[in-house]
Amino acid sequence: MLNNKVSKAVRLAIAFGAVSTAAFSASTFAAEEEKAEKVERIQVTGSRIRTDSFASEVPIDIISVEDAENEGIKTLGDLLRTSTAAAGSNQITSALSVGYVTAGGKGTETVSLRGLGASRTLILLNGRRAGPAGTRGEVSGFDLNTIPLSTVERVEILKDGASSLYGSDAVAGVINIITKKGDSKTVTVDISQPFESGGEEQRVNFSYGEEFSKGSFRVTADYKITKELKRGDRDFLACSERLLLNADGTSADPIDPRTGKAHCNETGYGLWVYGAGASNIVGSGPQLAYDYDGFFAENNYDSYNTTASQPGDLTTPDGWYPVSYDKESDGWWNMDHPFRDEETMNPENKVWSVYALGDYQITDDITAYAEFIHSSRNTTTQGYRQFWTADVGVIPAGQFDGFDGDAFFLPVALSDHYSSDTTVDYTRVVVGASGSLGFWDWDVSYQNSYNDGEYKNDIFYRDSLVMAQENTANGTSCNGEVTEFSQKTCVDLPWTDPQFLYGNPSDEVRDFIFGEDVGNTIYKQQTFEAYMTGDVMEVPAGTIATAFGISIQKDEIDDTPGENTINGNSWGLSGAGKTAGSQISRAVYAEFKVPLLSDMDYVDSLDLTASARWTDVSTYGNDTTFKLGLNWVIYDGLSVRANRGSSFRSPALFELFLADQSGFNGQLSIDPCLDWASEQAAGNITDTVASNCQADGVPADYTAGGSSAIIYTSGGAGRLKAETAINENIGIVWRSPEDTFAASIDYYDIVISDEVTSLSGSQITGRCYDSKDFANEPLCDLFTRRNGDNNDYGIDEVRSGYVNVASQIARGVDYNFTYQDDFDFGSLRMRLEHTMQIERKYKLFEDSEENNYVGELGEPKHTGNVSLTYSKDDYSLTWTTRYVDSTNDYEYYNDSKETTYRGETVYTTRDTKWVTYHALSGTVNTDMGLKVTAGIANLFDKEPPILSASGTLNVGNAALYSQYDRIGRRFFANVTYNF
């Protein structure tokens, strides 16, 4: 029979350790009751001091894997995103890493608490650091793919800054992944099967554990495969529509006459037309599209040949028709290409891993322990892209066979040569010892993690494409030339061949322009840590406890991009140099827990906690952080807690040493001087901007914009200083006398100063031209303009990099409620977690306008989870609900849905409604050692919100933010056999 103290501790796990996302499941409580015989001094996340209670002075969420199984969650990343501390902001998922350049490379999954970034969220594995994993030069966060969910027992999320205990990157909070222990032996098969094809998941897991008189060990082997989800697998990922509305609510989109439906507004291909000879077609911005299906000819559409009436008018070979020169002809341009259906939305991931841990009691007072994990992840993606004569610009129509007239072409072709293959091997070893020395407990450990990532990407050889473009522009043909880097013999590209433009080049052309680039990323992290904790002395209110320790950590990065990326021979894709560097961090820290008052009216106890840390970083310098906390138990069951602490984060290695990573920005998004006289008259730019554009020699009516600007981003070694932050929270915790109900409310406030970030090209140019001291503005030295040749005054190159900016603020309230009780008909357990974001403000410069992201797309004000579990004997039934508040981006459009399309006033959709997802599952435990959990996730097949195509993060018209489910309704099952 469990004694009263331990029974109270278990109940407090509901009331405090939660105050949790999920508290512990009923079966966990039962297991604890069976095993516990005495009160043990334990250590919880957020403190180095061991106590005999689960009560916490700081807000901690505890998420059990059993709850994850009941919701159909199959990965650690998905599990962590159920916490409302993470769900309130858009997260980096493997799906997001497919279409965008994200830190860690393709397939990487990280977590960011409070929306403050993965580099400000510390990940621990069994209380010890877990080194970063991923590919490319921006590796800094822990890749959640590394740890299979099958090895995890629970996750503790400290929703408060803890730099004074854990170090530099614990700014927004700490996530402690706690693995399974014990002597169980299991084989598990886990599946998730969508009702529609694509996105299937299967896992096989074997785990063997033994406990003996002197220690224990456990070995787990896991293999998981996630099948690819393609765009063609889901209707809501189909062709992007403009999704414009008239005032009466009817569609304002152009109509495709082939289908009678809204036009498919996807990646275009064909011939872009310029020049006076194209004026025989009324309208602006025409393209030439080939009549692949014969629709234009069958329906007697006008071609340039039928409208040519003046000398110099454009004429073409048969089969070419003008499109996209007015609203009606916008609908004629068929951009629904087969490559679209094959585009990867969620990548195929294959992960196998081996995890082992063990401990051995050397003496009565000393125990040695070790952990080992090795995982290997392979991620593959498929996409498509455009390529065109960007390097030579437009080419006279007469240069191409069968075309004539006073016109110029920019040929734009499609290609599905755009796949990637990423392999990440990650190994982590921990060895250590713990023990006791009198009244003191101690722990010494060494952690070594090694990440080896290889990233392969399909590329176009730049030297091949440039050679082919120049030959076409000059009207010459290949004559045995060999390219400089790729060493390919020249092949003439048929720029106006319909099949070439459609994405079906000959094998000869493929060999000439297509290639592969292979890069490699090594990241090493070593950590030595030692600490002691124990009681110092008795005082009238109780016992003063303390902990103190030291930490030494070394990080090294060595990223070598593929040779074509380094030498700039990858056409149209970002380039980068070799990123290499290292740093060593040394720290000493101490923590005290001092009981101030006890056993008084309205003061059952009042405890003060204080911690401080001195850290020295070889690439930065040293700094000190602190934290103070009060925990006031008013009476048994009601308490108030408050904390205030400081943090500092020294720049990550990639922020210091990233080597000239390049990308592209269109002139419309980066140049504030386009048509500056008209923009000034319309009130769209200030007089200061207009005056500075004029002073820079940009013509008042310059609108052409030229080709894209190249943006170079590099590290800030030598100029960056560390971020600093102040974290404050205050909360109230209540549990009912019978330990049936528990609730908490916690207010948090995080202010980050001197935040390290990389300025975008538009931020640099915008700040430059808006400067009152334009001649001396430092940001104006970071970019160059073209000299006006061929009337091109566009932005040429922007030299960006990591800098310290003004501030970021996160402020909000966490609500938690749990209920559990037993009845004659069974047991009921209910939990609620809700977060309300009040502010998440970002300020670029001291005099910049502050922007509050809360309520914008991807930044909901309210998020929450509710679950209800009924259990009786060996059976249980769980209903889970997850909800996300409505959002919108109208503030970026003058708080209006109104815009114009082809001169007409129309209305856009840039908002998401309140979204709710439901899951239902059941579990049965048999006498034969078999446990079966099965259910349906996204029970009502809720699709992602639909948005207008422009100005939002979407695929098709489906919102791409991490809060929304793109897989759809799915059956899931977990079958575990205990032997």
Side-chain angles (χ1 to χ4, degrees), residues 180-305:
K180 295 176 180 176
K181 300 177 178 64
D183 60 358
S184 63
K185 304 163 184 64
T186 62
V187 175
T188 300
V189 176
D190 211 354
I191 64 168
S192 175
Q193 180 62 49
F195 280 47
E196 298 181 79
S197 64
E200 298 87 353
E201 295 180 279
Q202 295 102 32
R203 179 194 297 277
V204 177
N205 174 270
F206 172 82
S207 188
Y208 186 95
E210 285 281 3
E211 291 183 338
F212 46 93
S213 60
K214 291 286 189 178
S216 66
F217 74 90
R218 173 173 288 277
V219 178
T220 300
D222 188 278
Y223 178 77
K224 178 178 179 292
I225 180 170
T226 302
K227 299 293 183 65
E228 179 187 30
L229 176 71
K230 300 179 180 180
R231 279 191 71 176
D233 292 334
R234 297 293 182 271
D235 291 341
F236 54 78
L237 296 174
C239 276
S240 302
E241 300 175 10
R242 288 174 174 81
L243 212 63
L244 304 174
L245 299 175
N246 295 308
D248 61 1
T250 58
S251 174
D253 280 11
I255 302 301
D256 187 338
R258 303 167 187 81
T259 63
K261 300 178 181 178
H263 168 58
C264 176
N265 189 33
E266 286 291 333
T267 303
Y269 55 98
L271 302 175
W272 272 239
V273 184
Y274 307 88
S279 61
N280 50 321
I281 292 294
V282 177
S284 62
Q287 278 83 42
L288 271 174
Y290 190 74
D291 191 15
Y292 291 98
D293 57 7
F295 176 85
F296 292 119
E298 290 175 7
N299 292 275
N300 299 315
Y301 278 63
D302 283 338
S303 70
Y304 272 105
N305 297 334

Side-chain angles (χ1 to χ4, degrees), residues 404-649:
D404 198 11
D406 185 14
F408 298 85
F409 290 160
L410 185 74
V412 178
L414 288 187
S415 174
D416 62 351
H417 185 73
Y418 200 31
S419 65
S420 70
D421 189 320
T422 302
T423 301
V424 176
D425 290 307
Y426 179 81
T427 304
R428 177 179 181 268
V429 177
V430 174
V431 292
S434 62
S436 58
L437 186 63
F439 293 103
W440 293 88
D441 295 316
W442 56 268
D443 189 288
V444 178
S445 64
Y446 168 76
Q447 180 262 149
N448 189 331
S449 64
Y450 184 88
N451 169 86
D452 185 352
E454 179 184 81
Y455 49 103
K456 301 178 182 178
N457 296 280
D458 287 344
I459 65 167
F460 289 76
Y461 291 127
R462 175 175 172 78
D463 52 5
S464 294
L465 270 181
V466 171
M467 181 178 287
Q469 292 175 59
E470 289 176 343
N471 280 334
T472 302
N474 296 330
T476 57
S477 180
C478 288
N479 189 26
E481 301 100 326
V482 176
T483 55
E484 179 181 2
F485 297 110
S486 56
Q487 293 297 295
K488 297 289 184 178
T489 302
C490 182
V491 173
D492 289 327
L493 297 193
W495 286 105
T496 56
D497 173 36
Q499 288 304 312
F500 174 82
L501 296 171
Y502 194 71
N504 295 320
S506 67
D507 290 342
E508 186 182 30
V509 169
R510 287 177 181 272
D511 182 65
F512 178 50
I513 63 174
F514 291 169
E516 181 184 73
D517 218 27
V518 182
N520 180 259
T521 305
I522 302 294
Y523 196 106
K524 304 175 186 178
Q525 185 183 88
Q526 301 176 74
T527 307
F528 171 80
E529 188 165 35
Y531 67 89
M532 296 186 69
T533 177
D535 298 337
V536 178
M537 61 182 295
E538 291 288 334
V539 294
T543 303
I544 297 176
T546 186
F548 56 89
I550 63 170
S551 173
I552 303 173
Q553 178 179 316
K554 183 178 182 180
D555 288 81
E556 301 173 80
I557 189 171
D558 186 350
D559 175 66
T560 306
E563 61 176 343
N564 289 286
T565 300
I566 290 177
N567 62 29
N569 199 38
S570 175
W571 188 91
L573 296 180
S574 60
K578 182 181 175 68
T579 297
S582 65
Q583 67 181 14
I584 297 176
S585 302
R586 301 175 178 86
V588 294
Y589 59 88
E591 179 185 12
F592 294 89
K593 182 175 182 179
V594 181
L596 302 178
L597 300 171
S598 66
D599 299 325
M600 300 175 62
D601 291 342
Y602 304 109
V603 184
D604 191 55
S605 65
L606 178 64
D607 295 335
L608 169 70
T609 57
S611 58
R613 185 184 188 98
W614 177 84
T615 305
D616 180 79
V617 184
S618 61
T619 56
Y620 162 66
N622 61 74
D623 209 335
T624 303
T625 55
F626 74 91
K627 187 171 185 178
L628 294 173
L630 278 175
N631 190 41
W632 171 25
V633 180
I634 301 171
Y635 57 82
D636 189 18
L638 179 65
S639 62
V640 175
R641 59 193 178 192
N643 294 273
R644 187 177 195 272
S646 65
S647 302
F648 95 95
R649 186 183 76 88

Side-chain angles (χ1 to χ4, degrees), residues 642-717:
N643 294 273
R644 187 177 195 272
S646 65
S647 302
F648 95 95
R649 186 183 76 88
S650 58
L653 289 180
F654 76 89
E655 293 168 337
L656 292 168
F657 302 115
L658 187 69
D660 278 346
Q661 181 172 287
S662 66
F664 302 90
N665 266 156
Q667 298 292 335
L668 288 175
S669 66
I670 197 174
D671 190 354
C673 293
L674 292 177
D675 199 17
W676 58 261
S678 296
E679 292 294 293
Q680 180 188 22
N684 295 329
I685 62 173
T686 66
D687 292 342
T688 299
V689 171
S691 176
N692 290 337
C693 290
Q694 183 178 28
D696 210 20
V698 182
D701 59 351
Y702 173 67
T703 59
S707 58
S708 299
I710 302 176
I711 313 298
Y712 292 98
T713 303
S714 57

Side-chain angles (χ1 to χ4, degrees), residues 109-181:
E109 296 216 351
T110 59
V111 63
S112 161
L113 296 180
R114 308 300 191 196
L116 298 177
S119 61
R120 299 175 187 89
T121 300
L122 175 62
I123 303 291
L124 304 176
L125 182 58
N126 291 324
R128 302 173 191 91
R129 282 180 173 267
T135 58
R136 297 186 177 269
E138 292 187 58
V139 174
S140 66
F142 178 71
D143 182 7
L144 300 174
N145 293 295
T146 299
I147 304 296
L149 191 61
S150 57
T151 67
V152 179
E153 177 183 305
R154 70 182 187 275
V155 177
E156 296 179 355
I157 302 178
L158 171 62
K159 301 185 294 184
D160 187 27
S163 285
S164 60
L165 286 178
Y166 295 109
S168 167
D169 40 2
V171 176
V174 179
I175 296 174
N176 190 10
I177 303 162
I178 299 172
T179 59
K180 295 176 180 176
K181 300 177 178 64

Side-chain angles (χ1 to χ4, degrees), residues 343-376:
E343 188 177 14
T344 299
M345 291 293 95
N346 287 18
E348 178 170 282
N349 264 344
K350 298 177 182 178
V351 185
W352 68 266
S353 61
V354 176
Y355 178 72
L357 76 165
D359 59 85
Y360 183 78
Q361 189 174 354
I362 299 173
T363 70
D364 290 343
D365 297 322
I366 301 175
T367 299
Y369 59 81
E371 293 180 29
F372 170 83
I373 186 168
H374 177 81
S375 73
S376 182

